[in-house]
Amino acid sequence: MSSLWDRTQKLPKDLFKQVEQVYGDHFPLEVRFQLAMWIEESFSHPVQVKHEDIDSQNHAAQLGQQLLVQLDAKADSIPSDPDKFLTKQKLNEISMSLKTRYNGNLVGLYMKVRQCLEQELAIVTQFQMGTNNPVEQSLDQQIRQKLSLLKQRVAETGVELERCKHDQEAVTMEIYSFKENDAKYEQLKLQNGEAHADVKKWKVSRDKMELGIKQKFNNLLSQRAALVRALVANFHEVKEVQAQVLDKELINWKREQQLHGNGLQMTLSLESLQEWCEGLANIIWTMRQQIKQLEILKSQIADPVSDSASATNVLSELLSGITDLLSNLVTGTFIIEKQPPQVMKTNTRFTATVRLLVGGQLNVHMASPSVSVSIISENQANQLLKTPAQSTKRREDYSSGEILNGQGNMEFHAATRQVSVNFRNLQLKRIKRTEKKGTESVMEEKFSVLFWTEFQIGELKFQVWTLSLPVVVIVHGNQEPQALATITWDNAFAEWGRPPFRVPDKVSWAKMASALNMKWTSACGTNRSLTEENLYYLACKVFRNPNLHIDDFKNLVVSWGQFCREPLPDRNFTFWEWFYRVMNLTATHMRGPWSEGYIMGFVSKNRAEELLMAMEGGTFLLRFSDSEPGGVTIAYVRQDAHQKNVFMVAPFSSKDLLQRSIADVIFDLQEYLTFLFPNTPKDAFKKFSTSVAQNERAQTATGYVPHSLKTHVPEILERAPSQQYFMEL
């Protein structure tokens, strides 16, 4: 069967034009043409990218990266002959543009390619089936088409405005001529009387000219009324599209950015948003100029008194409405592209990037406006948001600390058409805390980084600001786990549009499970998500009930106190502290074994014993310690002639595994360990062993005979089963 691209090229012109509209700067048709076969082979099996599935996200990102590699290879393979130079140069430019557009968002590139291919296939299938039903468009296409149509209509009102201006100038000249003729007629009538033949002749000419002027004036009024109606219709359509872009799509991007703080890979494209916002800015600015020009024309030749007031009100309201749209667009598109760290330590350098999506289109950068950075309290953020948009605010009134190097100027980057400022050396020197309520700790107090700028576009002055995601300020590293709990809860469960920074005190277990899984897979850099068994174990722990029925816990709700305030039973640490410590242990020392599925981890001591007692001697598993946060233990079953017992090696901490990896520990204890539960040979851990490689490097580098630390457990025959045995190094 012929390829999709072969069938696409055989489409009639009108349908091929639809295919051309599917592709654009976000994924040019030229790339589709140059890499046709590779794209169809590589993207033939769609990846269902899901927020909770890190594996699907990584697969999609890999395909996006491979596409860029293939494009570069194609450009390099084209000889630098004069007749092929432009093609080579164009591919290199496209490659650079795609890398910039999808920097840090390769999943977004994958999804855009898939979207284009699906639209292309739908058009080809429609043609082959002989149907004329329109193909359902993607959101990106729908918005781009709406903007294109609006741009065309605004161009049409521009033509009508020029025609009004031309016709009004003609009417003005005829009125001037009429006034001259009327003056001559009055003078002649005064000299010769109305009955004189010449006076009568002048009167006929004068009346005819007056009638012609009235007809042309009425035609002009009709033209202007039609133009006003067209402008009003365009205004309502622009308002609708802007609401979709700002109130839905931009908010979706911001929400995804917030979840990115918990580990979600971003898939929405900021470049598409900029393209839409620039289109809106161009249309709105042009409409605003047209309305002002029409006001000037009306001031030169006014409407009849009976219509004048209502017509003036319509134009005045239209100008006010379109100016509000422009103001909302400018203020709404001042966004934080790279958020500051949400757990911020004093006297520690951090970075941030802010961007004005419509800055290039409106030439805001020409004045090089300054952007200032400050940190404000939750209460100040509330006050700022409640202050009416029209009222003038003072930046100095909003500050709860001191940030060094908090001044920068917005610059235009020609390659990307971005107007932004990148703060590379910000540092929080001082923080002013508010008085605490009840049991609230400093690690639960939220601040926000405020970015503020002021500039002028034409005669319009703008005071523009944006707030970062919530920030918790710490002064010691040991405050980080609790601060991260506050941020994780906020990122996962905050509702959009809430007063800063209100969050629910309780959430469903389903939402909690999703948040924990997202955090775990991101921190551990793994494709292996938490299983249903893992999540059941975590539910038992957070609800302090080891006997939860597996069907009941999903309907329960988790409180903030259960999550990170109240210690676990008979422990001096909370659920979050326990989870955070084992997550860090896995991310730092056991990422490989976890990704391979070699670490069961989330299993209780009793359940581990139950599983191992059903196995042959030497079977072992790795589980996270319940009693020592950030510890992993090896549980194994030993069988002799008389009995079978399960033993637990004392938990290995991050400090222990820094000296000797978990794989090396397993081989140190090979006398007792044979198969990883249920039946994986322990040799599977060899690829994670560091001892051999380190010894070879040491001997080669120094000439000394190397030595190493070994894990040893004491004789256990006379000890009680299931007792923990301490490691000797």
Side-chain angles (χ1 to χ4, degrees):
M1 184 177 178
S2 60
S3 69
L4 174 59
W5 183 245
D6 288 337
R7 288 178 284 159
T8 299
Q9 290 176 299
K10 295 174 184 176
L11 289 172
K13 286 184 179 180
D14 58 333
L15 288 179
F16 190 80
K17 187 71 176 176
Q18 289 185 32
V19 175
E20 288 180 327
Q21 292 174 352
V22 167
Y23 295 87
D25 290 343
H26 50 279
F27 183 58
L29 188 63
E30 183 70 19
V31 180
R32 175 72 177 97
F33 165 66
Q34 294 290 348
L35 301 178
M37 293 305 298
W38 183 88
I39 287 174
E40 290 183 36
E41 290 172 2
S42 302
F43 288 76
S44 58
H45 302 291
V47 178
Q48 295 298 322
V49 180
K50 299 178 181 177
H51 287 171
E52 66 277 8
D53 186 358
I54 196 76
D55 190 20
S56 68
Q57 296 175 27
N58 287 340
H59 187 186
Q62 288 169 8
L63 284 172
Q65 181 61 46
Q66 289 171 20
L67 174 65
L68 296 176
V69 171
Q70 288 290 326
L71 182 57
D72 286 338
K74 183 68 177 180
D76 292 341
S77 69
I78 298 175
S80 300
D81 299 341
D83 59 330
K84 297 179 180 178
F85 173 76
L86 289 178
T87 301
K88 185 182 183 78
Q89 185 181 37
K90 184 176 182 180
L91 286 184
N92 284 324
E93 289 174 353
I94 290 173
S95 175
M96 184 64 68
S97 173
L98 290 177
K99 288 173 184 175
T100 302
R101 180 182 288 267
Y102 296 104
N103 179 33
N105 186 17
L106 290 171
V107 177
L109 173 58
Y110 168 82
M111 295 184 71
K112 185 60 66 177
V113 176
R114 278 297 325 158
Q115 188 182 79
C116 291
L117 287 174
E118 288 166 3
Q119 290 287 313
E120 180 185 337
L121 177 61
I123 294 170
V124 171
T125 303
Q126 168 194 315
F127 171 67
Q128 292 177 332
M129 293 177 65
T131 61
N132 294 317
N133 297 327
V135 177
E136 185 178 352
Q137 293 180 314
S138 67
L139 174 68
D140 186 36
Q141 282 180 286
Q142 291 173 16
I143 294 177
R144 288 170 67 205
Q145 187 174 37
K146 287 178 182 178
L147 290 172
S148 177
L149 185 60
L150 276 168
K151 191 173 181 180
Q152 180 181 336
R153 289 178 180 171
V154 169
E156 290 170 359
T157 55
V159 171
E160 283 301 306
L161 183 64
E162 282 300 314
R163 194 155 72 89
C164 276
K165 183 179 179 183
H166 178 269
D167 291 351
Q168 182 163 316
E169 287 172 349
V171 170
T172 301
M173 291 175 65
E174 291 195 24
I175 290 174
Y176 183 78
S177 298
F178 173 77
K179 286 181 178 179
E180 286 185 334
N181 282 348
D182 188 56
K184 289 180 180 179
Y185 165 72
E186 291 295 335
Q187 185 179 5
L188 195 61
K189 185 175 71 171
L190 187 64
Q191 292 174 351
N192 302 315
E194 290 186 13
H196 194 276
D198 288 344
V199 173
K200 289 181 179 180
K201 187 177 179 180
W202 268 102
K203 187 176 186 307
V204 170
S205 174
R206 170 192 171 280
D207 291 346
K208 185 178 180 181
M209 182 178 288
E210 184 178 22
L211 182 62
I213 290 173
K214 285 182 178 179
Q215 289 176 342
K216 288 182 179 179
F217 178 66
N218 288 331
N219 289 339
L220 178 62
L221 292 180
S222 297
Q223 276 181 263
R224 295 198 309 207
L227 181 55
V228 169
R229 287 194 297 272
L231 286 170
V232 169
N234 288 348
F235 167 77
H236 288 299
E237 288 194 35
V238 171
K239 186 177 181 180
E240 183 180 319
V241 176
Q242 179 159 309
Q244 183 179 11
V245 171
L246 295 188
D247 300 340
K248 186 176 179 182
E249 302 309 320
L250 183 57
I251 284 177
N252 285 343
W253 180 87
K254 288 182 176 180
R255 179 61 183 143
E256 194 174 72
Q257 186 188 47
Q258 185 170 25
L259 287 173
H260 181 64
N262 277 5
L264 175 73
Q265 282 206 33
M266 296 192 70
T267 59
L268 300 178
S269 170
L270 192 56
E271 309 316 315
S272 292
L273 280 165
Q274 175 165 319
E275 178 187 340
W276 302 336
C277 292
E278 286 182 332
L280 283 167
N282 180 41
I283 291 167
I284 291 171
W285 184 261
T286 304
M287 284 183 62
R288 189 171 184 274
Q289 297 305 107
Q290 290 176 357
I291 295 167
K292 290 172 69 176
Q293 289 175 33
L294 185 56
E295 277 192 327
I296 292 172
L297 291 179
K298 280 180 170 285
S299 69
Q300 293 170 346
I301 296 184
D303 291 340
V305 176
S306 59
D307 301 331
S308 180
S310 61
T312 301
N313 286 340
V314 170
L315 268 190
S316 177
E317 289 173 4
L318 195 56
L319 181 60
S320 175
I322 204 74
T323 302
D324 285 344
L325 283 185
L326 181 63
S327 178
N328 292 338
L329 183 63
V330 172
T331 56
T333 57
F334 184 55
I335 55 100
I336 304 173
E337 183 176 4
K338 182 180 182 298
Q339 290 279 344
Q342 288 187 263
V343 176
M344 187 178 295
K345 190 177 180 183
T346 54
N347 299 308
T348 302
R349 187 180 75 88
F350 67 93
T351 62
T353 302
V354 290
R355 178 167 157 190
L356 183 60
L357 298 181
V358 297
Q361 184 66 42
L362 298 176
N363 292 318
V364 171
H365 57 282
M366 299 300 287
S368 189
S370 174
V371 180
S372 63
V373 187
S374 57
I375 190 165
I376 64 174
S377 67
E378 182 174 329
N379 186 47
Q380 288 173 330
N382 261 303
Q383 291 175 357
L384 187 57
L385 287 171
K386 287 179 180 178
T387 305
Q390 298 78 12
S391 63
T392 302
K393 295 171 277 289
R394 292 181 352 114
R395 178 179 60 83
E396 296 77 11
D397 295 337
Y398 304 95
S399 178
S400 288
E402 178 186 358
I403 292 181
L404 294 184
N405 304 315
Q407 290 286 338
N409 294 91
M410 282 198 277
E411 298 176 352
F412 179 70
H413 307 279
T416 58
R417 287 190 53 80
Q418 294 176 9
V419 174
S420 62
V421 53
N422 183 15
F423 295 95
R424 296 183 179 88
N425 293 292
L426 297 171
Q427 189 175 119
L428 179 62
K429 296 299 293 181
R430 181 181 57 82
I431 190 70
K432 181 182 178 183
R433 297 193 181 275
T434 56
E435 188 175 337
K436 301 295 166 293
K437 301 175 184 177
T439 58
E440 186 182 34
S441 73
V442 295
M443 284 83 79
E444 295 178 33
E445 184 179 9
K446 300 173 193 174
F447 295 87
S448 182
V449 178
L450 170 66
F451 297 87
W452 184 294
T453 186
E454 297 180 14
F455 50 81
Q456 190 163 334
I457 304 175
E459 79 282 11
L460 299 175
K461 293 182 178 180
F462 290 93
Q463 195 175 63
V464 183
W465 51 268
T466 187
L467 292 172
S468 76
L469 294 172
V471 168
V472 175
V473 176
I474 62 173
V475 294
H476 300 295
N478 59 9
Q479 295 175 314
E480 183 176 354
Q482 180 64 25
L484 196 58
T486 300
I487 293 303
T488 300
W489 187 281
D490 192 286
N491 286 344
F493 311 127
E495 294 182 2
W496 197 259
R498 55 152 181 197
F501 293 106
R502 189 178 299 170
V503 288
D505 186 56
K506 296 179 179 180
V507 296
S508 69
W509 168 251
K511 289 183 178 180
M512 172 59 69
S514 176
L516 293 175
N517 182 56
M518 185 184 295
K519 197 73 185 172
W520 180 275
T521 51
S522 173
C524 297
T526 178
N527 297 335
R528 182 188 167 203
S529 299
L530 298 178
T531 64
E532 285 297 318
E533 291 79 7
N534 298 155
L535 294 171
Y536 172 70
Y537 170 84
L538 290 171
C540 290
K541 186 172 284 290
V542 78
F543 291 121
R544 282 78 167 162
N545 183 356
N547 301 314
L548 272 179
H549 192 279
I550 200 159
D551 294 326
D552 293 342
F553 74 94
K554 295 179 181 178
N555 300 319
L556 299 177
V557 293
V558 183
S559 70
W560 170 248
Q562 289 172 317
F563 179 64
C564 72
R565 267 190 182 173
E566 302 160 4
L568 293 171
D570 302 321
R571 308 293 184 213
N572 60 357
F573 49 83
T574 65
F575 168 82
W576 168 257
E577 185 179 355
W578 180 89
F579 181 83
Y580 173 82
R581 295 281 295 276
V582 296
M583 179 175 70
N584 275 4
L585 179 79
T586 306
T588 307
H589 301 291
M590 300 188 298
R591 184 173 294 192
W594 170 268
S595 295
E596 294 288 343
Y598 297 161
I599 298 175
M600 186 175 293
F602 300 101
V603 58
S604 68
K605 183 178 179 181
N606 291 340
R607 178 60 176 159
E609 290 176 354
E610 180 184 327
L611 293 173
L612 291 173
M613 284 298 287
M615 308 304 293
E616 293 182 4
T619 305
F620 68 99
L621 59 80
L622 291 96
R623 58 173 289 270
F624 299 127
S625 170
D626 288 312
S627 57
E628 296 191 27
V632 62
T633 183
I634 301 172
Y636 66 97
V637 62
R638 182 169 180 177
Q639 185 172 14
D640 56 27
H642 304 290
Q643 60 181 344
K644 182 191 289 187
N645 292 315
V646 173
F647 298 93
M648 307 272 176
V649 180
F652 297 87
S653 67
S654 183
K655 182 179 178 182
D656 298 327
L657 297 184
L658 191 61
Q659 299 177 68
R660 194 151 181 79
S661 72
I662 194 67
D664 293 331
V665 168
I666 288 169
F667 289 112
D668 290 346
L669 303 177
Q670 57 185 337
E671 177 184 352
Y672 309 107
L673 312 179
T674 54
F675 285 92
L676 176 69
F677 180 89
N679 54 11
T680 302
K682 68 173 180 296
D683 286 352
F685 282 89
K686 275 189 175 178
K687 59 183 174 182
F688 304 115
S689 175
T690 58
S691 296
V692 175
Q694 287 176 348
N695 288 345
E696 288 177 352
R697 285 197 299 270
Q699 191 164 8
T700 303
T702 66
Y704 288 115
V705 176
H707 65 83
S708 64
L709 300 172
K710 293 259 183 190
T711 306
H712 167 71
V713 292
E715 180 57 42
I716 60 176
L717 288 176
E718 298 179 1
R719 294 178 182 245
S722 300
Q723 183 177 341
Q724 291 190 342
Y725 294 93
F726 290 91
M727 174 183 66
E728 295 179 1
L729 290 176

